[in-house]
Amino acid sequence: MTVKSAPRPRIRDAEATQARILAAAKKEFAKSGLAGARVDVIAERAKANKRMIYHYFNSKEDLFQRVLEDAYVDIRTAEQKLDLDRLEPREALERLVRFTWDYYLKNPEFLTLVNSANLHKARHLKKSQTIEQVSRRFVGMVGALLDRGEKSGDFRAGIDPVQLNITIAAIGYYYFTNRFSGSIIFQRDLMTPAALEERLRFNVETILRLVCKTEPPAGK
Amino acid sequence: MTVKSAPRPRIRDAEATQARILAAAKKEFAKSGLAGARVDVIAERAKANKRMIYHYFNSKEDLFQRVLEDAYVDIRTAEQKLDLDRLEPREALERLVRFTWDYYLKNPEFLTLVNSANLHKARHLKKSQTIEQVSRRFVGMVGALLDRGEKSGDFRAGIDPVQLNITIAAIGYYYFTNRFSGSIIFQRDLMTPAALEERLRFNVETILRLVCKTEPPAGK
DNA sequence: TAAAGAAGTAACTAGATGGTGCAATAAAGC
DNA sequence: GCTTTATTGCACCATCTAGTTACTTCTTTA
């Protein structure tokens, strides 16, 4: 009777349901924050029953924590794939700056999720073991790059990898999270392709000037 | 009967009540965001009746907008008092970086308020005429400084004041708003006096290297 | 000093909101 | 097939929350 060759879509699929809930939750939390997010909206957007959310994730807070964890794992995983070791130090550094920028641009939810986490004093991160693991590797990466560049004579000595990491993140992060207020205060649209390109160039220059011994080659 | 020479504290004082409400609202909005803030909490903390909030400020949203406006006016006013014109360009630039840092450090509510505003796409700022006024003056200030430094030969030519402004804000702002997640990810307390001092030094160096022609004097 | 208006209070409402109890149904194991 | 277990849906609740109604009390001023 039923053709089984192509397995028909499962009517009950725990994994798929959980994935839909997580995706919907990410969107909703990113859009409205933890307090502003509505569980009913998440359920509706996930095409799941609200009951499922509590079945799989226990509570709104736990769901938020899970969303946050997944978001951190995602960016850290992407960073690891950069393979900075295989590039010249200067190139590797520039690549990291560009990657960070692009990630924020393409994943704006990440920014608001982190903001929400910090509004709650990051108590959702403290609980998480996953976060610590991925973070450690990440911090090591820039440290190794700085060492390499120092030895090759490209980079100045004694730069703290944590400070550099923070700065690279900051100059992109701030631009994007505050893009709305920024566009008003500075009276220009910060999100046009031209504006984005200009900012990225400025950021690369900022970091190269900070880290490199000699000046970056005068513009293209 | 009643001695009127020393006017006894007024039992009814519209201005004082409004001020108390605004102060309480600032705290509550900064702590919990727009959605998370509770009007009842604001009323209680202001030692005012909830009805008064609606009497003076019409709605929760309007109150939020007012708090935001006041916060922007406060920082922009403080910046104007810096009197950068009277300093050497390099000194003036360093002063601006240090001021921005100190302001964020001493007014952490400002950061979360701005974050909340941006979570809501800054629609509370768009409505406000006050913001535009104070913003314009502020942007001009750094522009004038850059011009002056360029002419004196201290600064590189062609630096966009808006990009510089954003960068100066970013390297402090990011550090503070994400201090909770940062302390976990980087596995060090970012708020100890030593950590704060180190970061400020790093920030000054970042900006001087970005803007100045010659290297900043090799550290002490 | 009387009238008018401003400042303040308590109790209340209508609608939302996170979270549940319980039964129904599909899938997996025997 | 038949039992067991995991997945899902519906209806419901207790509580919270922004905003309001109706009223009292203080202050000013004519």
Side-chain angles (χ1 to χ4, degrees):
Chain A
M1 284 286 147
T2 41
V3 182
K4 283 210 172 169
S5 59
R8 60 178 169 186
R10 299 169 116 246
I11 293 175
R12 301 197 156 191
D13 190 331
E15 252 180 88
T17 304
Q18 287 177 47
R20 285 203 317 278
I21 291 173
L22 281 172
K26 186 175 185 179
K27 235 185 185 172
E28 174 70 0
F29 282 132
K31 188 185 162 202
S32 307
L34 175 52
R38 296 293 160 241
V39 177
D40 294 84
V41 171
I42 294 171
E44 198 181 9
R45 270 220 279 251
K47 282 175 194 169
N49 192 282
K50 188 164 59 154
R51 193 72 193 74
M52 293 291 88
I53 291 174
Y54 290 93
H55 182 57
Y56 290 123
F57 301 101
N58 184 50
S59 71
K60 189 187 181 187
E61 293 249 327
D62 286 4
L63 177 59
F64 179 71
Q65 183 177 336
R66 176 62 187 279
V67 166
L68 214 67
E69 270 184 30
D70 287 4
Y72 265 104
V73 170
D74 186 72
I75 186 174
R76 296 287 106 101
T77 304
E79 275 162 353
Q80 289 301 319
K81 285 182 190 152
L82 281 177
D83 242 339
L84 299 184
D85 309 327
R86 299 202 300 196
L87 295 172
E88 294 276 296
R90 273 161 163 273
E91 272 184 88
L93 183 60
E94 184 169 338
R95 175 144 199 217
L96 180 60
V97 175
R98 288 180 181 279
F99 166 83
T100 305
W101 173 267
D102 283 339
Y103 190 89
Y104 293 163
L105 177 61
K106 285 172 193 153
N107 302 276
E109 332 84 43
F110 179 75
L111 305 174
T112 37
L113 288 174
V114 172
N115 278 344
S116 286
N118 277 287
L119 184 63
H120 297 274
K121 299 180 193 289
R123 67 167 194 269
H124 304 90
L125 292 182
K126 272 180 208 154
K127 287 186 202 160
S128 161
Q129 307 100 331
T130 320
I131 304 285
E132 282 204 20
Q133 286 173 23
V134 289
S135 297
R136 216 177 309 250
R137 264 194 311 174
F138 163 63
V139 176
M141 207 175 78
V142 176
L145 172 59
L146 278 173
D147 285 347
R148 203 153 57 84
E150 191 180 329
K151 272 169 198 149
S152 74
D154 288 308
F155 296 169
R156 292 192 296 127
I159 294 178
D160 179 357
V162 168
Q163 299 297 350
L164 179 60
N165 257 327
I166 292 175
T167 303
I168 291 173
I171 57 182
Y173 191 104
Y174 178 89
Y175 188 90
F176 286 123
T177 37
N178 292 341
R179 62 193 184 279
F180 301 106
S181 59
S183 288
I184 293 165
I185 286 166
F186 299 115
Q187 305 188 62
R188 64 165 85 157
D189 185 346
L190 296 180
M191 295 303 282
T192 64
L196 293 173
E197 203 187 320
E198 190 196 330
R199 179 65 193 174
L200 175 54
R201 210 185 316 143
F202 195 90
N203 283 352
V204 170
E205 173 133 12
T206 301
I207 296 302
L208 289 182
R209 281 188 171 267
L210 174 65
V211 174
C212 295
K213 267 181 173 166
T214 59
E215 302 214 337
K220 51 178 172 185
Chain B
M1 281 283 147
T2 39
V3 183
K4 280 207 173 169
S5 59
R8 60 179 170 188
R10 301 170 115 242
I11 293 173
R12 302 195 155 191
D13 189 331
E15 253 180 86
T17 303
Q18 288 178 46
R20 285 202 317 279
I21 291 173
L22 281 171
K26 187 176 185 178
K27 235 184 183 171
E28 174 70 359
F29 283 131
K31 187 185 163 202
S32 306
L34 175 53
R38 297 291 161 244
V39 176
D40 294 84
V41 172
I42 294 171
E44 197 181 11
R45 269 220 279 253
K47 281 175 194 166
N49 190 280
K50 188 163 56 152
R51 193 66 191 78
M52 291 290 91
I53 292 174
Y54 291 92
H55 181 52
Y56 291 125
F57 300 102
N58 183 48
S59 72
K60 191 188 181 186
E61 292 249 328
D62 285 4
L63 177 58
F64 179 71
Q65 182 177 337
R66 175 61 188 280
V67 166
L68 214 67
E69 270 184 29
D70 286 5
Y72 265 102
V73 169
D74 186 72
I75 187 174
R76 295 286 105 102
T77 304
E79 275 163 353
Q80 289 301 321
K81 285 184 189 151
L82 281 177
D83 242 340
L84 299 184
D85 310 327
R86 299 203 301 196
L87 295 172
E88 294 276 295
R90 273 162 165 271
E91 273 183 89
L93 183 60
E94 184 168 340
R95 176 143 198 218
L96 179 61
V97 174
R98 288 182 182 276
F99 166 82
T100 305
W101 173 266
D102 283 339
Y103 190 89
Y104 292 163
L105 177 61
K106 285 172 194 154
N107 301 276
E109 331 85 43
F110 179 75
L111 305 174
T112 38
L113 288 174
V114 172
N115 278 343
S116 287
N118 277 287
L119 184 64
H120 297 275
K121 301 183 192 288
R123 66 166 194 272
H124 303 90
L125 291 183
K126 273 179 208 155
K127 287 185 204 161
S128 161
Q129 307 99 330
T130 318
I131 303 287
E132 282 204 20
Q133 285 174 23
V134 288
S135 298
R136 216 177 307 248
R137 263 195 310 175
F138 162 63
V139 176
M141 208 175 76
V142 176
L145 172 59
L146 279 173
D147 285 347
R148 204 154 56 86
E150 192 181 325
K151 273 170 198 149
S152 75
D154 289 308
F155 296 168
R156 292 193 297 126
I159 294 176
D160 178 358
V162 168
Q163 299 296 351
L164 179 60
N165 257 328
I166 292 175
T167 303
I168 291 173
I171 57 183
Y173 191 104
Y174 178 89
Y175 188 91
F176 285 124
T177 35
N178 291 341
R179 63 194 184 278
F180 301 107
S181 59
S183 288
I184 292 165
I185 286 166
F186 299 115
Q187 304 187 63
R188 64 165 84 157
D189 185 346
L190 296 180
M191 294 304 282
T192 64
L196 292 173
E197 203 186 321
E198 190 195 330
R199 178 66 192 174
L200 175 54
R201 211 184 317 142
F202 195 89
N203 282 350
V204 169
E205 173 133 12
T206 301
I207 297 302
L208 289 182
R209 280 186 171 271
L210 174 63
V211 175
C212 294
K213 269 180 172 169
T214 60
E215 302 216 336
K220 50 180 173 186

